[in-house]
Amino acid sequence: MKRIIKRTLCAATACAVAASLTACGGANNSSSSNVPTVTIWGSGGQEVREALQAIADAYNADSNYNTKARVEVEFVVSGTSEQSLADRLAAAYQAGETDTDFDLIALDDNAISPILAQTSEDFFIPIDTSKIPNYENLVFKDNIVGDTFIPYRGTAVMLAYNSETVPNPPETADELYQWIQDNPGRFAYCDPSTGGSGYTFVATAIYNQLPDEARTSPDTKWETEHTQEWDNAFDLMAQLHPSLYQTAGKVQYPMKNAGSLDLLATQQIDMTPAFVNMVLSQKNMGTLPDSIKLQAIEPAFSGALAGFCIPTIAKDQEAALSVIDFYLSYEAQAIDWNTMYASPVVDTSKLENLDHADWLEETDMDNLRYFSIGSMQTDILQRWADEIAPLAK
């Protein structure tokens, strides 16, 4: 089975810049009141919180696990004014705290660098996979973060389109760019600074021109020594700009990933890049009609894996391993799919009791194309803000 990234995977999506903290632990069904409590800290959207909690509740109800630990979830919700998860970890570290309840951190690799910058390079401990039996279930074992990170779910960006108005969607990047120009006003991508789907659209235009190794390298040579490729990509963004969705005679870049999907749902556009799990969740809720389909293009848009890290200040490092083990079980992977349509990181043929199993078959991770480019992500966002955003004024 072809896997574009089977050797270089790790988590990818953006770390919440601001947050509000909410505790939401599952019921303690363990037979002993002396088992340690393992607290998972995560951040992002509400759907991520619900999925983490649903699996935590299943752990606490499982007699094979709940004698080892009790799981609680603390979550930092994106888009609020509370202190970010990275800042909370840094504050605890800088205060010299040990044995904290930061037992497990659920995050992506773009969230790791800001944490290490405020703490230390060895802030996260190497994880002993020999103590995680279900690690053998993991399809994506290799990642550029190293042995301090264990993936537990995935996601990808694909082309979301209205099949009633676009019976034959583009299958390649070049076909997509041509379709946009041939169908003015019918395509949109969100402001990249507000949503990962818009960022992916821009970043892919750059990295489609670079060697494959570049997309998993934080080496800034891929920017400083390849200025022509970057120039070409932003020239393309400027060229496409007049053909994008408009209101009141001006091109509009929707705010956040949801903004683009809102335009698609109301048929103001016919196509947009979108996160697979967001599309499937909205279709399940009925906020996106059944006519909205997903199309993978070649080269593919970037995808990501979210995973667990254990900080040195965690009080229950050993107990945390049993929690990671459960999240890699086939039962937990099915819960993750059923809760938020997160792409499993295990062999999907072994999952049971799945909602919309046909959707999983349609959007599996075999063609996931992973990006991890360090500080150059910020450079892409800044250059878009400097060169493309002003065109809409």
Side-chain angles (χ1 to χ4, degrees):
M1 182 169 60
K2 180 182 177 184
R3 288 191 180 279
I4 295 176
I5 57 162
K6 67 180 178 181
R7 289 291 175 190
T8 54
L9 282 168
C10 75
T13 327
C15 177
V17 175
S20 71
L21 179 61
T22 306
C24 48
N28 184 1
N29 295 312
S30 70
S31 59
S32 171
S33 60
N34 296 322
V35 298
T37 296
V38 172
T39 305
I40 299 174
W41 288 77
S43 64
Q46 180 66 21
E47 73 282 0
V48 178
R49 173 182 177 174
E50 291 174 355
L52 282 172
Q53 186 63 54
I55 300 174
D57 290 343
Y59 179 103
N60 291 333
D62 191 312
S63 60
N64 293 318
Y65 284 92
N66 62 21
T67 56
K68 303 173 185 178
R70 175 179 180 272
V71 183
E72 293 186 351
V73 175
E74 296 277 4
F75 204 80
V76 174
V77 181
S78 298
T80 57
S81 58
E82 297 296 326
Q83 187 182 34
S84 72
L85 178 54
D87 289 340
R88 292 173 187 271
L89 289 167
Y93 174 81
Q94 292 162 8
E97 295 182 24
T98 58
D99 296 329
T100 70
D101 67 352
F102 291 111
D103 299 307
L104 266 182
I105 312 301
L107 76 180
D108 58 82
D109 80 325
N110 286 323
I112 292 174
S113 294
I115 294 171
L116 298 183
Q118 297 180 74
T119 55
S120 67
E121 286 298 317
D122 59 355
F123 181 70
F124 293 118
I125 68 169
I127 296 174
D128 185 354
T129 57
S130 70
K131 297 180 179 180
I132 304 175
N134 284 330
Y135 183 74
E136 291 305 311
N137 297 346
L138 183 63
V139 173
F140 304 113
K141 290 186 173 68
D142 297 329
N143 64 83
I144 65 170
V145 174
D147 59 3
T148 61
F149 176 86
I150 304 293
Y152 78 93
R153 67 171 172 85
T155 189
V157 172
M158 290 186 180
L159 199 60
Y161 69 98
N162 186 339
S163 60
E164 293 181 349
T165 55
V166 186
N168 299 301
E171 297 182 357
T172 69
D174 287 340
E175 289 178 4
L176 172 58
Y177 301 144
Q178 188 61 55
W179 188 95
I180 294 170
Q181 295 179 85
D182 291 344
N183 297 271
R186 305 308 300 172
F187 181 89
Y189 66 92
C190 70
D191 181 329
S193 68
T194 68
S197 60
Y199 162 77
T200 291
F201 183 76
V202 179
T204 300
I206 300 171
Y207 282 80
N208 282 353
Q209 306 173 69
L210 297 174
D212 196 52
E213 63 182 294
R215 63 182 172 80
T216 54
S217 170
D219 192 333
T220 56
K221 73 177 183 179
W222 298 112
E223 180 179 3
T224 59
E225 297 178 13
H226 294 268
T227 56
Q228 187 59 59
E229 288 88 344
W230 283 59
D231 290 346
N232 291 343
F234 282 97
D235 286 346
L236 174 62
M237 295 299 107
Q239 180 182 342
L240 296 177
H241 174 84
S243 300
L244 301 180
Y245 167 75
Q246 297 187 18
T247 58
K250 291 185 178 180
V251 170
Q252 299 290 321
Y253 292 95
M255 296 296 289
K256 300 186 178 183
N257 303 308
S260 297
L261 288 179
D262 287 344
L263 294 177
L264 189 63
T266 55
Q267 299 186 12
Q268 296 181 72
I269 59 172
D270 296 318
M271 198 179 299
T272 187
F275 283 103
V276 168
N277 69 293
M278 289 189 68
V279 171
L280 298 183
S281 294
Q282 290 198 23
K283 287 183 68 173
N284 185 59
M285 293 185 295
T287 53
L288 276 178
D290 289 340
S291 60
I292 302 304
K293 306 293 184 183
L294 288 163
Q295 170 74 35
I297 65 169
E298 181 66 31
F301 289 128
S302 65
L305 290 174
F308 289 118
C309 291
I310 302 175
T312 55
I313 61 175
K315 69 180 184 307
D316 291 309
Q317 296 178 8
E318 285 294 317
L321 298 179
S322 76
V323 179
I324 296 175
D325 186 63
F326 186 77
Y327 275 74
L328 294 182
S329 68
Y330 296 121
E331 176 188 352
Q333 292 287 298
I335 293 172
D336 215 11
W337 169 263
N338 289 342
T339 305
M340 66 171 286
Y341 298 106
S343 297
V345 293
V346 301
D347 183 350
T348 57
S349 68
K350 297 182 179 181
L351 301 183
E352 299 178 349
N353 302 317
L354 295 179
D355 296 336
H356 294 291
D358 55 325
W359 288 355
L360 178 59
E361 190 173 318
E362 179 184 329
T363 59
D364 68 36
M365 296 280 279
D366 285 354
N367 294 317
L368 176 65
R369 185 181 181 213
Y370 173 67
F371 282 49
S372 180
I373 60 174
S375 63
M376 287 177 288
Q377 175 174 333
T378 301
D379 296 343
I380 290 172
L381 294 173
Q382 186 60 57
R383 186 161 176 180
W384 188 91
D386 291 342
E387 297 182 19
I388 307 303
L391 299 177
K393 296 180 179 178

